[in-house]
Structures are given as structure tokens and as C-alpha cells.
Amino acid sequence: MSALAWDPWQREALEAMGHRVYACAPRAGEVVPDDPLAHALLRAAGRRPDDADAAALLRGLPPLARLRAEPAAKRALWPRLRALRRGGAAG
């Protein structure tokens, strides 16, 4: 299971609000962008660029351009990265 998967409580809450929860199939051939910020984010999350879930993890984070432009977005990201590093789910 991906670190980005909804936990059971989140699925239940989303379904109660009328949202349909879909499961994502892994995308074959995904690559991590050759970007220093992307690599730094993966390191902060305790991942390596060649990890199976690295591209999916980055896809679940705010866009790199936003993180570069908005210091508040970058600060808000740190709790998620720490949770990923501890092995918990991001969210």
C-alpha cells in the first residue's frame, strides 16, 4: 500500500460527504524529476529517487513551483515530510 493511500477513517469521512474514493493503480515508467528541490523533498521524507513510491510521493505534494514561490506552503509541508520519514501516512 502506498504512503499516500487514504486511511479507513478518511475513506469513511469522504464517502459520508458523498465523495467516491478511487484506488490508483501505479503508473509504469514514472520518473522523479531531475530537480534539486524534488530530491531534497525525498531526502526529507526518508526516500530515495529510485524508491518505488518516490514519484507518487512527489505527485501528492504541492507543485515544486508553488513550494519555491510560497514560503508558507513549504513550512506547511514539513509536518507531512516528518510523518513520512517516521513511516506514517502523509496527510
Side-chain angles (χ1 to χ4, degrees):
M1 180 178 282
S2 167
L4 301 175
W6 296 108
D7 67 36
W9 182 87
Q10 290 170 322
R11 280 193 296 274
E12 183 180 333
L14 287 168
E15 289 169 358
M17 291 186 289
H19 296 286
R20 183 172 290 158
V21 179
Y22 294 100
C24 288
R27 297 179 184 180
E30 279 190 312
V31 295
V32 171
D34 189 20
D35 184 308
L37 180 55
H39 290 266
L41 292 171
L42 290 172
R43 273 193 312 275
R47 302 295 197 286
R48 295 175 13 165
D50 58 348
D51 286 348
D53 67 341
L57 185 147
L58 287 173
R59 205 175 48 254
L61 299 178
L64 298 178
R66 180 172 172 220
L67 291 172
R68 283 190 174 91
E70 300 175 23
K74 196 181 287 188
R75 282 192 302 273
L77 181 62
W78 279 106
R80 289 177 64 189
L81 294 174
R82 282 192 293 270
L84 287 166
R85 189 173 196 81
R86 285 192 305 266

